[in-house]
Amino acid sequence: MTFFPLFHNTNHLKVLLIGGGNVAKRRVKTLVKAGVSFDLMSICVNDGITELVENAGGTVTLGAYDCDEVMRGYTFICALTDNRTVNHQIAVDAEAMGLLVNVADVPDDGNIIFGAIIDRAPLTIAINNGGASPVLSSILRQQLEQLVPKAYGQLSRLVGTYRPQVKKALPDTKQRSIFWHQVLQGPVAEAVFSGKHDDAESMLKDHLKEIDSGGNKIMNTGEVFLIGAGPGDPDLLTLRAFRLLQKADVVLYDALVSDGVMALVPESVERVYVGKRRANHSVPQTGINQLLVDYAKQGKRVARLKGGDPFIFGRGGEEIETLAQQHVPFQVVPGVTAASGCSAYSGIPLTHRDYAQSVRFVTGQLQDGSVNLPWPELIVEGQTLVFYMGLKGLPLICEQLLAHGMDINMPVALIEKGTTQDQRVLVSDLTQLPAMIEAEKVMSPSLFIVGRVVSLHDKLAWFTSSRES
């Protein structure tokens, strides 16, 4: 580690920037945002810099650096001129005076560097790589910006406000640490992230009352995260879903959750398979509902991972009904539903101005071998039909669509294991597809699309899986 990270109290810094070019302008903006007091001197100053400095309460002095006298009264010097020899001399003089000094483009000439900053005041995250690559630090900052919700700043302020009270209520360091871990990874934090700051503060106060009334009693509140895992590609998981997976104590997952998504679950998390395949339910739905309740009432954070979106043929509504009845806290995280994900990865837009002005999702899960669907409503020109869980009943579906008047040449597509490296797309028509899927031995999960938009597949297909390459 070449540069040791430290955070300075901005109230105790007085900065002099020497130089007036583009680098100086970036530094000025950084200091203004941080609320640091500063002045600037330079032979010439780029447009806009003087206004920025003066609006921040600083002064601009026109002139060249000639001696260390100009540094008197400052704690921090930025050498930002276009002349490396001058910058080096500024650094030598500043260090001789025991000052902090940053040198543009030559980090080793100074004793500090600027890092990329993620500002979630009062929480601040800084990234530095010893000045080797500012671009790399910037890229990492952009990635972390997505993973650290802006509400972390509000959470930091809330925790800071109640820290003295918690310290008084829980003098034992270990107990206090457990308390804060539960606050920062539990319903209080999630309420802040959801914009419910008053609810979060109320919950925190309630937990403090519990401690006051029960000695060193630590809260034991569980919660369920109903998470849509998407159709397969782990890159389609939402940032919120990823964040909640990282804080879960136990994950209940079904057969449609891909190995790629499961690989994102930390090794320390307990995994419970509750998969359901056609005619083979490892755990009945009522059992899954009860498991969620039981784990949550043990004080655990429970992630319920469901393929696709939990509210589109995912029975997520049934699960949270049970949670609501049992007064178990929960939240729902939408996922990319199979229709959207599989069609996109197949180059088949579900709607298109020239081909389809509406789309309809239909369950193809047939009961007792019967077909009980509103067929006349499905035979509409300019409409795309998407059948979920329709592999077993596909021959009957094709037969009934034709029997109720659908064009015999209507293009159809069967997408097997969509969005994954095992994706396969079979395109045909209503008369030939049943025989094709039997010959090709198509497996679940699969999605059946009917409509003129399927004809765009050859032109728009962009994703090539390992099976199709």
Side-chain angles (χ1 to χ4, degrees):
M1 184 186 299
T2 306
F3 287 88
F4 186 77
L6 293 171
F7 290 90
H8 292 269
N9 188 326
T10 57
N11 292 327
H12 297 165
L13 290 177
K14 176 72 173 178
V15 182
L16 175 64
L17 297 92
I18 304 175
N22 291 331
V23 177
K25 191 171 188 176
R26 292 199 299 270
R27 293 286 187 266
V28 166
K29 289 181 177 179
T30 298
L31 296 174
V32 168
K33 189 173 183 181
V36 176
S37 176
F38 65 94
D39 297 316
L40 182 144
M41 74 171 298
S42 181
I43 297 173
C44 58
V45 180
N46 283 10
D47 291 343
I49 294 181
T50 298
E51 183 179 3
L52 286 171
V53 174
E54 292 179 346
N55 285 344
T59 60
V60 175
T61 302
L62 295 178
Y65 174 80
D66 56 4
C67 69
D68 60 10
E69 285 300 316
V70 300
M71 300 180 187
R72 301 293 176 186
Y74 294 98
T75 55
F76 179 6
I77 309 299
C78 290
L80 311 174
T81 76
D82 294 330
N83 189 314
R84 289 198 173 190
T85 301
V86 172
N87 285 347
H88 178 75
Q89 187 59 52
I90 293 171
V92 170
D93 293 345
E95 290 202 55
M97 296 175 66
L99 303 179
L100 301 174
V101 58
N102 167 253
V103 180
D105 295 327
V106 188
D108 288 339
D109 269 8
N111 52 33
I112 63 169
I113 61 174
F114 280 76
I117 295 174
I118 298 170
D119 185 7
R120 300 288 186 268
L123 174 67
T124 304
I125 301 172
I127 305 166
N128 97 77
N129 55 24
S133 174
V135 173
L136 177 59
S137 293
S138 178
I139 291 172
L140 288 174
R141 180 189 61 77
Q142 291 170 7
Q143 293 176 353
L144 289 172
E145 283 274 9
Q146 301 175 62
L147 298 175
V148 183
K150 293 188 181 300
Y152 263 108
Q154 294 178 316
L155 183 60
S156 296
R157 285 190 289 274
L158 178 64
V159 169
T161 300
Y162 286 88
R163 188 180 176 190
Q165 295 179 46
V166 172
K167 187 174 183 179
K168 182 179 179 181
L170 290 171
D172 182 81
T173 303
K174 184 176 181 180
Q175 291 278 24
R176 194 162 63 246
S177 176
I178 293 172
F179 175 87
W180 282 126
H181 271 87
Q182 292 179 334
V183 166
L184 295 171
Q185 295 182 295
V188 173
E190 288 306 316
V192 173
F193 296 148
S194 300
K196 302 175 182 177
H197 190 271
D198 290 343
D199 290 347
E201 187 167 12
S202 178
M203 281 190 282
L204 184 52
K205 287 180 178 178
D206 288 343
H207 293 321
L208 278 170
K209 289 178 183 177
E210 291 174 12
I211 293 172
D212 289 337
S213 62
N216 285 357
K217 181 180 177 183
I218 298 296
M219 58 185 175
N220 195 34
T221 304
E223 185 177 11
V224 174
F225 315 132
L226 183 60
I227 299 173
D233 185 348
D235 284 348
L236 297 180
L237 205 67
T238 66
L239 292 172
R240 187 180 186 88
F242 177 78
R243 177 172 59 80
L244 293 177
L245 279 180
Q246 304 314 298
K247 63 190 291 185
D249 300 308
V250 58
V251 170
L252 276 65
Y253 66 103
D254 62 36
L256 296 180
V257 179
S258 70
D259 292 340
V261 170
M262 289 304 298
L264 300 176
V265 178
E267 290 293 330
S268 60
V269 175
E270 180 183 355
R271 304 174 187 216
V272 181
Y273 178 69
V274 291
K276 293 185 289 183
R277 292 288 192 187
R278 188 179 65 241
N280 181 24
H281 292 194
S282 65
V283 180
Q285 186 63 53
T286 54
I288 295 173
N289 298 351
Q290 191 58 48
L291 277 174
L292 295 174
V293 172
D294 292 344
Y295 277 118
K297 289 193 171 182
Q298 292 172 24
K300 294 186 176 181
R301 297 181 294 266
V302 187
R304 171 64 171 114
L305 267 180
K306 302 178 76 71
D309 180 272
F311 278 7
I312 299 182
F313 303 125
R315 302 185 74 171
E318 298 173 39
E319 295 180 3
I320 63 173
E321 270 189 297
T322 301
L323 297 173
Q325 291 167 1
Q326 295 293 323
H327 306 291
V328 173
F330 64 86
Q331 56 180 288
V332 181
V333 183
V336 175
T337 187
S340 178
C342 295
S343 64
Y345 275 55
S346 303
I348 302 174
L350 295 179
T351 62
H352 189 285
R353 186 170 60 179
D354 299 329
Y355 298 94
Q357 292 72 51
S358 65
V359 59
R360 185 162 184 164
F361 298 165
V362 186
T363 177
Q365 189 93 337
L366 308 179
Q367 297 291 336
D368 301 324
S370 63
V371 180
N372 185 23
L373 293 172
W375 299 109
E377 296 177 18
L378 305 184
I379 316 300
V380 177
E381 191 63 38
Q383 175 177 260
T384 302
L385 300 176
V386 182
F387 289 88
Y388 286 69
M389 301 169 288
L391 186 58
K392 181 181 178 182
L394 190 141
L396 287 172
I397 292 172
C398 291
E399 178 184 310
Q400 289 298 319
L401 289 175
L402 289 170
H404 285 80
M406 184 165 279
D407 183 355
I408 193 172
N409 295 315
M410 180 66 71
V412 298
L414 196 289
I415 305 166
E416 178 188 15
K417 299 181 179 178
T419 78
T420 73
Q421 282 302 313
D422 292 322
Q423 173 177 293
R424 183 165 53 155
V425 182
L426 303 178
V427 175
S428 184
D429 56 44
L430 289 170
T431 60
Q432 299 182 53
L433 187 63
M436 180 184 289
I437 63 170
E438 185 174 348
E440 294 289 341
K441 302 187 186 307
V442 176
M443 304 291 291
S444 293
S446 59
L447 196 80
F448 181 36
I449 300 179
V450 180
R452 304 290 179 193
V453 290
V454 174
S455 63
L456 294 168
H457 165 70
D458 289 339
K459 182 191 299 184
L460 303 182
W462 59 271
F463 176 74
T464 303
S465 70
S466 58
R467 295 177 68 179
E468 296 173 325
S469 58

